[in-house]
Amino acid sequence: MMIVLSGAIGAGKSSLATVLSEHLGTEAFYEQVDNNPVLPLFYKDPKKYAFLLQIYFLNKRFESIKKAMVQDNNVLDRSIYEDSLFFHMNADMGRATPQEVKVYDELLANMMQELPYAAAKKAPDLLVHLDISYDTMIHRIEKRGRSYEQPEQDPTLPEYYHNLLSRYDGWYDDYDYSPKMKIDGDKYDFVENPEDRQKVLDLIDEQLRVRGTLD
């Protein structure tokens, strides 16, 4: 099976990808963040590096989803299906030119048209979206300690984070590539609480069984 995760920065996608892959006996595919050479540049000068960052992520996500579809036994902590949300948010914030938006949209469309031919599998078996509040988001961002993500380092980040969270409901409603489900990341602290972690795994197992993906 192939499961893709989605959610804002700090939602716990990498943590859940690890737990879920171990639980199901599958491979985890992680978004490249800590070794991303463009991300720190973006946080220092978003307007200059937004387009470059998104092209970098888009390329990595396309590479990952192709591998995942071929192997068909994995969990992705973020996927290409979520990519456009980030770039168009930055474009709406004045961090990309109309020409950059046009180039990005055409490139993404070409990639999405090519994707079904990359492997026998055409789409994920399940999208698991992690829904969190701003307070939970900031708590996890502070805990993992990446300096460039901290609001006290950049007074524009709270607006950026609130903007990002506000877009996910519409994105989730529009997502139609596969079956989908939401996990309340405020209610279930699957990162630190073992009981909550098991509840989340049970919820996902239930959805997989309903769809005949899990015995």
Side-chain angles (χ1 to χ4, degrees):
M1 70 187 76
M2 184 173 77
I3 299 172
V4 295
L5 307 182
S6 66
I9 299 165
K13 297 178 300 300
S14 296
S15 296
L16 184 57
T18 299
V19 170
L20 191 55
S21 64
E22 292 174 353
H23 172 68
L24 296 172
T26 63
E27 182 179 357
F29 283 73
Y30 298 101
E31 183 176 46
Q32 186 175 351
V33 175
D34 291 333
N35 296 320
N36 183 330
V38 185
L39 193 57
L41 299 175
F42 166 76
Y43 277 98
K44 289 180 181 178
D45 193 343
K47 192 169 185 178
K48 181 177 180 181
Y49 290 103
F51 179 70
L52 177 61
L53 177 65
Q54 209 60 50
I55 294 300
Y56 178 93
F57 272 132
L58 180 60
N59 181 49
K60 294 296 183 181
R61 288 167 185 160
F62 186 59
E63 180 181 30
S64 292
I65 197 73
K66 286 194 300 179
K67 289 180 180 178
M69 284 184 168
V70 169
Q71 296 177 13
D72 189 21
N73 192 31
N74 43 64
V75 182
L76 288 84
D77 75 341
R78 196 190 294 281
S79 70
I80 195 171
Y81 304 106
E82 208 174 344
D83 198 88
S84 181
L85 181 153
F86 283 88
F87 184 64
H88 279 271
M89 182 186 75
N90 278 295
D92 290 345
M93 296 173 72
R95 296 172 171 179
T97 67
Q99 186 59 46
E100 287 172 334
V101 173
K102 184 175 185 294
V103 169
Y104 171 85
D105 286 344
E106 290 176 350
L107 178 58
L108 177 59
N110 283 336
M111 287 180 169
M112 296 307 292
Q113 289 173 5
E114 180 66 23
L115 199 52
Y117 302 100
K121 191 172 200 66
K122 305 303 181 187
D125 294 290
L126 182 67
L127 166 78
V128 179
H129 178 65
L130 305 178
D131 194 23
I132 59 169
S133 66
Y134 179 78
D135 288 344
T136 297
M137 180 188 199
I138 294 301
H139 169 72
R140 292 188 178 154
I141 286 173
E142 289 175 345
K143 184 172 181 180
R144 70 185 180 191
R146 293 175 187 148
S147 60
Y148 53 82
E149 292 181 339
Q150 307 306 317
E152 62 267 21
Q153 300 294 325
D154 183 350
T156 69
L157 283 177
E159 178 187 2
Y160 179 84
Y161 291 152
H162 278 294
N163 193 356
L164 179 61
L165 286 170
S166 72
R167 292 173 181 251
Y168 267 103
D169 284 342
W171 176 86
Y172 180 82
D173 290 342
D174 291 342
Y175 175 89
D176 60 359
Y177 291 98
S178 72
K180 57 188 177 182
M181 66 178 294
K182 276 188 181 183
I183 297 292
D184 187 337
D186 291 344
K187 179 179 179 181
Y188 298 109
D189 184 4
F190 55 84
V191 176
E192 298 183 2
N193 186 313
E195 291 184 2
D196 284 353
R197 191 177 306 131
Q198 186 58 53
K199 289 177 182 177
V200 167
L201 291 175
D202 290 344
L203 290 170
I204 295 172
D205 283 351
E206 180 183 358
Q207 290 297 317
L208 293 173
R209 289 191 182 97
V210 166
R211 291 167 173 80
T213 312
L214 186 67
D215 295 333

